[in-house]
Amino acid sequence: MTSFTVAEETPSVHELVQLYDSVGWSAYTRDPEVLAASVSGSSLVVAARAEREGALVGLARTLSDGHTVAYLQDILVDPVWHGSGVGRQLTDAVLAHHANVRQIVLLTDAESGQRAFYEAVGFTEVRDHEPPLRAFVRLTG
């Protein structure tokens, strides 16, 4: 495995589709233009690229008011790069950028291994938070 770099940038539509497809997020890739618009409309986009070939290997994006809340909307790493530190560095970059924001919120599906990863980078699952919190979501389509 080669090394990688992490920087603020918005990848091309083609790169986004490839990365989102690599993790099985086909709901995002059905309409590449909507995916590109959603990523470019984010408050922050951080990309990880393989140093040697420059390929997009990971991405994190947030939506934020810049003061009280930031939503870590997407964090994804090409499965070939799992365990390489890409996810941790993307998360560190997001948290550093939003260091003065009161709450960082993340909603994700319940795939195995995710809880361990998110806890390792400082998140607490809502049901385990003290004092108790509630989380609500409404999904359409």
Side-chain angles (χ1 to χ4, degrees):
M1 181 97 31
T2 61
S3 58
F4 61 91
T5 59
V6 171
E8 289 184 35
E9 73 159 286
T10 301
S12 72
V13 176
H14 175 73
E15 291 176 308
L16 291 170
V17 169
Q18 281 187 316
L19 181 62
Y20 280 71
D21 274 341
S22 78
V23 297
W25 291 6
S26 59
Y28 286 86
T29 61
R30 281 186 212 123
D31 190 337
E33 297 308 313
V34 169
L35 173 60
S38 67
V39 171
S40 68
S42 300
S43 304
L44 172 69
V45 180
V46 183
R49 292 191 176 274
E51 219 165 62
R52 186 174 304 139
E53 54 284 345
L56 182 67
V57 298
L59 180 131
R61 69 184 186 102
T62 63
L63 307 170
S64 179
D65 64 13
H67 303 282
T68 61
V69 65
Y71 293 92
L72 180 49
Q73 175 57 32
D74 293 337
I75 180 164
L76 58 161
V77 175
D78 185 312
V80 172
W81 286 78
H82 284 184
S84 68
V86 171
R88 178 174 288 279
Q89 283 200 28
L90 288 168
T91 305
D92 288 348
V94 165
L95 295 176
H97 182 88
H98 295 294
N100 296 320
V101 173
R102 182 173 178 270
Q103 55 182 307
I104 309 292
V105 179
L106 165 71
L107 176 67
T108 188
D109 38 7
E111 292 178 12
S112 63
Q114 286 187 345
R115 181 178 175 130
F117 171 76
Y118 288 117
E119 287 178 345
V121 295
F123 285 83
T124 302
E125 195 162 353
V126 169
R127 68 177 180 213
D128 298 333
H129 194 274
E130 286 298 326
L133 296 173
R134 287 194 173 138
F136 300 90
V137 65
R138 180 177 177 198
L139 300 174
T140 60

